[in-house]
Short mmCIF file of all heavy atoms in Angstrom, two decimals:
data_model
loop_
_atom_site.label_atom_id
_atom_site.label_comp_id
_atom_site.label_asym_id
_atom_site.label_seq_id
_atom_site.Cartn_x
_atom_site.Cartn_y
_atom_site.Cartn_z
N TRP U 73 -68.61 -29.31 16.46
CA TRP U 73 -67.49 -29.66 15.59
C TRP U 73 -67.47 -28.80 14.33
O TRP U 73 -68.50 -28.51 13.72
CB TRP U 73 -67.59 -31.13 15.19
CG TRP U 73 -66.50 -31.59 14.26
CD1 TRP U 73 -65.27 -32.08 14.62
CD2 TRP U 73 -66.53 -31.63 12.82
NE1 TRP U 73 -64.55 -32.41 13.51
CE2 TRP U 73 -65.29 -32.14 12.39
CE3 TRP U 73 -67.49 -31.27 11.87
CZ2 TRP U 73 -64.98 -32.30 11.04
CZ3 TRP U 73 -67.18 -31.42 10.53
CH2 TRP U 73 -65.93 -31.94 10.12
N GLY U 74 -66.28 -28.38 13.94
CA GLY U 74 -66.07 -27.67 12.70
C GLY U 74 -64.65 -27.89 12.22
O GLY U 74 -63.75 -28.17 13.02
N ALA U 75 -64.44 -27.81 10.93
CA ALA U 75 -63.12 -28.07 10.37
C ALA U 75 -63.03 -27.45 8.99
O ALA U 75 -64.00 -26.89 8.47
CB ALA U 75 -62.84 -29.58 10.30
N THR U 76 -61.85 -27.55 8.41
CA THR U 76 -61.62 -27.14 7.03
C THR U 76 -60.92 -28.29 6.33
O THR U 76 -60.14 -29.02 6.96
CB THR U 76 -60.73 -25.88 6.97
OG1 THR U 76 -61.36 -24.83 7.70
CG2 THR U 76 -60.51 -25.42 5.54
N CYS U 77 -61.19 -28.47 5.05
CA CYS U 77 -60.48 -29.50 4.31
C CYS U 77 -60.07 -28.96 2.94
O CYS U 77 -60.67 -28.02 2.41
CB CYS U 77 -61.31 -30.77 4.15
SG CYS U 77 -62.65 -30.68 2.96
N VAL U 78 -59.02 -29.57 2.40
CA VAL U 78 -58.59 -29.32 1.03
C VAL U 78 -58.43 -30.67 0.36
O VAL U 78 -57.47 -31.40 0.64
CB VAL U 78 -57.27 -28.53 0.96
CG1 VAL U 78 -56.83 -28.36 -0.49
CG2 VAL U 78 -57.41 -27.16 1.62
N PRO U 79 -59.36 -31.07 -0.51
CA PRO U 79 -59.19 -32.32 -1.25
C PRO U 79 -58.04 -32.22 -2.24
O PRO U 79 -57.83 -31.16 -2.86
CB PRO U 79 -60.54 -32.48 -1.98
CG PRO U 79 -61.49 -31.57 -1.27
CD PRO U 79 -60.66 -30.43 -0.78
N ILE U 80 -57.30 -33.30 -2.38
CA ILE U 80 -56.19 -33.33 -3.33
C ILE U 80 -56.26 -34.62 -4.14
O ILE U 80 -56.99 -35.55 -3.80
CB ILE U 80 -54.82 -33.24 -2.63
CG1 ILE U 80 -54.62 -34.43 -1.67
CG2 ILE U 80 -54.66 -31.91 -1.90
CD1 ILE U 80 -53.23 -34.52 -1.07
N THR U 81 -55.51 -34.66 -5.21
CA THR U 81 -55.26 -35.91 -5.93
C THR U 81 -53.77 -36.19 -5.81
O THR U 81 -52.95 -35.28 -5.82
CB THR U 81 -55.66 -35.79 -7.40
OG1 THR U 81 -54.96 -34.70 -8.00
CG2 THR U 81 -57.16 -35.56 -7.54
N GLY U 82 -53.41 -37.44 -5.70
CA GLY U 82 -52.00 -37.77 -5.54
C GLY U 82 -51.55 -37.63 -4.11
O GLY U 82 -52.36 -37.62 -3.17
N ALA U 83 -50.24 -37.50 -3.93
CA ALA U 83 -49.65 -37.53 -2.59
C ALA U 83 -49.08 -36.19 -2.14
O ALA U 83 -48.48 -36.11 -1.07
CB ALA U 83 -48.55 -38.59 -2.56
N ASP U 84 -49.26 -35.12 -2.92
CA ASP U 84 -48.64 -33.83 -2.59
C ASP U 84 -49.50 -33.07 -1.58
O ASP U 84 -50.20 -32.12 -1.93
CB ASP U 84 -48.43 -33.01 -3.85
CG ASP U 84 -47.61 -31.74 -3.59
OD1 ASP U 84 -47.11 -31.59 -2.46
OD2 ASP U 84 -47.49 -30.91 -4.52
N TYR U 85 -49.45 -33.50 -0.32
CA TYR U 85 -50.24 -32.84 0.71
C TYR U 85 -49.73 -31.44 1.00
O TYR U 85 -50.50 -30.56 1.44
CB TYR U 85 -50.23 -33.67 1.99
CG TYR U 85 -48.86 -33.84 2.61
CD1 TYR U 85 -48.33 -32.88 3.45
CD2 TYR U 85 -48.10 -34.99 2.36
CE1 TYR U 85 -47.07 -33.03 4.03
CE2 TYR U 85 -46.85 -35.15 2.92
CZ TYR U 85 -46.34 -34.16 3.75
OH TYR U 85 -45.10 -34.32 4.30
N GLY U 86 -48.43 -31.20 0.76
CA GLY U 86 -47.86 -29.88 1.03
C GLY U 86 -48.54 -28.79 0.24
O GLY U 86 -48.78 -27.69 0.74
N ALA U 87 -48.87 -29.08 -1.02
CA ALA U 87 -49.56 -28.10 -1.85
C ALA U 87 -50.94 -27.80 -1.29
O ALA U 87 -51.39 -26.64 -1.29
CB ALA U 87 -49.66 -28.61 -3.28
N GLY U 88 -51.62 -28.83 -0.77
CA GLY U 88 -52.93 -28.62 -0.16
C GLY U 88 -52.85 -27.74 1.07
O GLY U 88 -53.69 -26.85 1.28
N ILE U 89 -51.83 -27.96 1.90
CA ILE U 89 -51.64 -27.12 3.09
C ILE U 89 -51.37 -25.68 2.67
O ILE U 89 -51.94 -24.73 3.24
CB ILE U 89 -50.48 -27.67 3.94
CG1 ILE U 89 -50.85 -29.03 4.53
CG2 ILE U 89 -50.13 -26.69 5.05
CD1 ILE U 89 -49.72 -29.72 5.28
N ASP U 90 -50.53 -25.50 1.68
CA ASP U 90 -50.20 -24.14 1.22
C ASP U 90 -51.43 -23.41 0.69
O ASP U 90 -51.58 -22.20 0.89
CB ASP U 90 -49.12 -24.19 0.13
CG ASP U 90 -47.78 -24.67 0.66
OD1 ASP U 90 -47.57 -24.61 1.90
OD2 ASP U 90 -46.94 -25.12 -0.15
N ILE U 91 -52.32 -24.14 0.01
CA ILE U 91 -53.56 -23.53 -0.48
C ILE U 91 -54.39 -23.01 0.69
O ILE U 91 -54.93 -21.90 0.66
CB ILE U 91 -54.35 -24.55 -1.31
CG1 ILE U 91 -53.66 -24.82 -2.64
CG2 ILE U 91 -55.79 -24.06 -1.55
CD1 ILE U 91 -54.25 -25.98 -3.43
N ALA U 92 -54.49 -23.81 1.75
CA ALA U 92 -55.28 -23.41 2.91
C ALA U 92 -54.66 -22.21 3.62
O ALA U 92 -55.36 -21.26 4.00
CB ALA U 92 -55.42 -24.59 3.87
N ILE U 93 -53.34 -22.23 3.80
CA ILE U 93 -52.67 -21.14 4.49
C ILE U 93 -52.80 -19.84 3.69
O ILE U 93 -53.04 -18.76 4.24
CB ILE U 93 -51.19 -21.48 4.74
CG1 ILE U 93 -51.06 -22.70 5.65
CG2 ILE U 93 -50.45 -20.29 5.33
CD1 ILE U 93 -51.69 -22.53 7.02
N ALA U 94 -52.67 -19.94 2.36
CA ALA U 94 -52.81 -18.76 1.51
C ALA U 94 -54.21 -18.18 1.59
O ALA U 94 -54.41 -16.98 1.39
CB ALA U 94 -52.47 -19.12 0.06
N ALA U 95 -55.19 -19.04 1.89
CA ALA U 95 -56.57 -18.58 2.02
C ALA U 95 -56.87 -18.02 3.41
O ALA U 95 -58.01 -17.66 3.70
CB ALA U 95 -57.53 -19.73 1.71
N GLY U 96 -55.87 -17.97 4.28
CA GLY U 96 -56.03 -17.39 5.60
C GLY U 96 -56.48 -18.37 6.68
O GLY U 96 -56.83 -17.95 7.78
N ILE U 97 -56.44 -19.66 6.38
CA ILE U 97 -56.83 -20.67 7.38
C ILE U 97 -55.72 -20.80 8.42
O ILE U 97 -54.55 -20.93 8.07
CB ILE U 97 -57.10 -22.03 6.70
CG1 ILE U 97 -58.18 -21.89 5.63
CG2 ILE U 97 -57.49 -23.06 7.74
CD1 ILE U 97 -59.50 -21.35 6.15
N SER U 98 -56.11 -20.77 9.68
CA SER U 98 -55.14 -20.91 10.77
C SER U 98 -55.61 -22.03 11.69
O SER U 98 -56.36 -21.80 12.64
CB SER U 98 -55.01 -19.60 11.56
OG SER U 98 -54.03 -19.72 12.58
N PRO U 99 -55.20 -23.26 11.43
CA PRO U 99 -55.67 -24.41 12.23
C PRO U 99 -54.79 -24.66 13.45
O PRO U 99 -53.64 -24.22 13.52
CB PRO U 99 -55.55 -25.57 11.24
CG PRO U 99 -54.35 -25.20 10.42
CD PRO U 99 -54.35 -23.70 10.31
N GLU U 100 -55.36 -25.38 14.40
CA GLU U 100 -54.54 -25.87 15.51
C GLU U 100 -53.76 -27.10 15.08
O GLU U 100 -52.63 -27.30 15.51
CB GLU U 100 -55.41 -26.21 16.71
CG GLU U 100 -54.57 -26.70 17.89
CD GLU U 100 -55.37 -27.30 19.04
OE1 GLU U 100 -56.56 -27.62 18.84
OE2 GLU U 100 -54.79 -27.47 20.12
N ALA U 101 -54.37 -27.93 14.25
CA ALA U 101 -53.74 -29.18 13.82
C ALA U 101 -54.08 -29.44 12.36
O ALA U 101 -55.09 -28.95 11.84
CB ALA U 101 -54.19 -30.35 14.69
#
Side-chain angles (χ1 to χ4, degrees):
W73 179 88
T76 302
C77 74
V78 177
I80 61 172
T81 56
D84 188 7
Y85 63 84
I89 293 174
D90 293 341
I91 289 171
I93 297 300
I97 303 302
S98 183
E100 181 190 15

